Every structure is written in C-alpha cells, then in structure tokens.
C-alpha cells in the first residue's frame, strides 16, 4: 500500500496533504507554488510510494465549474503522462476553503496566521483528503 496525495490546485499555489503508507491519517504538507509544482512532484514521488492522488473539483453552489478547472485538467493530463501508474481521483471541494478558515480560526492562531492563504490551502487539501478517505470506507 502507498500514500494518497491530495491537491488543492490553484493558479498561484497548491495546497497538499498526504496519508501515511497505511492510508489512515491525512496530514498537511508544505504549500507549493504552482509554477514549480511539477518539479516538487517528481522529487516527492522519487522519495515516497504514492499510489493515488485526489485533486479537488472546484464547483460553486450551483455545481458550475470554476475557471481554474481548465488549468486543473491540463495539470491532470500532464500528470498522467509523467506518472501513468498513479491513480487520479477527483473530489468536490465545495466549502473546503471556508471550512479551513473556520478550523484555523478555532485553533487559536493569530489574525495574521489566519489570513495566510498558504495555510488555508494546506488545510483545504487535508480536508479534501480526509473526505476522500471517509467516502472510501462507506
């Protein structure tokens, strides 16, 4: 069994989270700038056994896809070429940023820390991964 990596893909940065090798615990990873994300993935995959990735599906309340979806689809296409053996899953990421902001505010972080977009992306990726793990066990 290998890790599952979650990606909260954005135009500026990508929030990341990964499971342990037993796929029990979801933990946030450092946020990575989108422009260097492919390089990060090559290094991460060379050092870790990753079985699958979960990429957030950005939709609004009506179910319409966000404009970043075009970039996400390009990323997935390139990813599949580079890592054909790794499964790619999509998961609705509605409300994850709002949930992440709420959890961060409840954690006692300072106002400056609560406004850190990188931290919000990291927590959002962790929520995406946790939701994916929960759906799998149902």
């Amino acid at each position: 069994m290998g890790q599952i990596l979650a990606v909260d893909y954005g135009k500026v940065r990508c929030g990341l989270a990964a499971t342990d090798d037993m796929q029990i615990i979801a933990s946030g990873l450092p946020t990575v700038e989108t422009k260097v994300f492919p390089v990060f993935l090559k290094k991460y995959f060379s050092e870790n056994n990753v079985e699958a990735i979960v990429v957030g599906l950005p939709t609004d309340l009506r179910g319409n896809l966000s404009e970043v979806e075009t970039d996400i689809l390009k990323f997935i296409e390139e990813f599949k070429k580079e890592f054909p053996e790794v499964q790619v899953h999509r998961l609705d990421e509605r409300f994850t940023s709002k949930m992440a902001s709420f959890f961060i505010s409840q954690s006692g972080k300072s106002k400056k820390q609560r406004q850190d977009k990188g931290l919000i992306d990291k927590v959002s990726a962790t929520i995406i991964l946790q939701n994916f793990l929960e759906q799998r066990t149902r």
Side-chain angles (χ1 to χ4, degrees):
M1 205 178 253
Q3 295 179 3
I4 300 172
L5 182 70
V7 180
D8 181 20
Y9 193 94
K11 289 185 178 281
V12 177
R13 76 197 142 269
C14 296
L16 300 168
T19 64
D20 57 304
D21 287 337
M22 297 298 291
Q23 300 179 2
I24 298 171
I25 299 169
S27 302
L29 297 175
T31 304
V32 176
E33 289 183 32
T34 302
K35 64 184 176 187
V36 298
F37 189 47
V39 174
F40 169 85
L41 284 177
K42 286 179 186 175
K43 184 174 186 325
Y44 189 84
F45 278 53
S46 72
E47 297 170 353
N48 297 277
N49 177 22
V50 180
E51 176 179 305
I53 67 167
V54 181
V55 182
L57 183 64
T59 54
D60 63 19
L61 292 175
R62 293 189 177 123
N64 299 318
L65 292 171
S66 166
E67 66 181 52
V68 76
E69 177 65 10
T70 305
D71 296 328
I72 294 171
L73 291 174
K74 287 178 191 171
F75 159 72
I76 291 172
E77 184 179 321
E78 292 301 314
F79 179 87
K80 286 180 177 180
K81 288 178 189 172
E82 183 73 30
F83 305 102
E85 70 286 352
V86 179
Q87 298 173 23
V88 178
H89 303 278
R90 301 297 304 275
L91 189 77
D92 187 344
E93 65 175 54
R94 253 180 283 202
F95 304 116
T96 56
S97 292
K98 289 196 184 319
M99 289 170 53
S101 294
F102 173 77
F103 292 140
I104 292 166
S105 72
Q106 297 300 304
S107 71
K109 299 275 186 199
S110 70
K111 183 176 181 179
K112 185 175 180 178
Q113 289 172 316
R114 291 192 307 262
Q115 293 173 338
D116 176 4
K117 301 265 189 221
L119 179 59
I120 292 169
D121 292 340
K122 176 180 179 176
V123 175
S124 293
T126 307
I127 293 168
I128 291 168
L129 185 52
Q130 191 62 48
N131 288 344
F132 178 77
L133 293 173
E134 289 172 7
Q135 284 185 9
R136 266 193 353 175
T137 58
R138 290 182 193 157

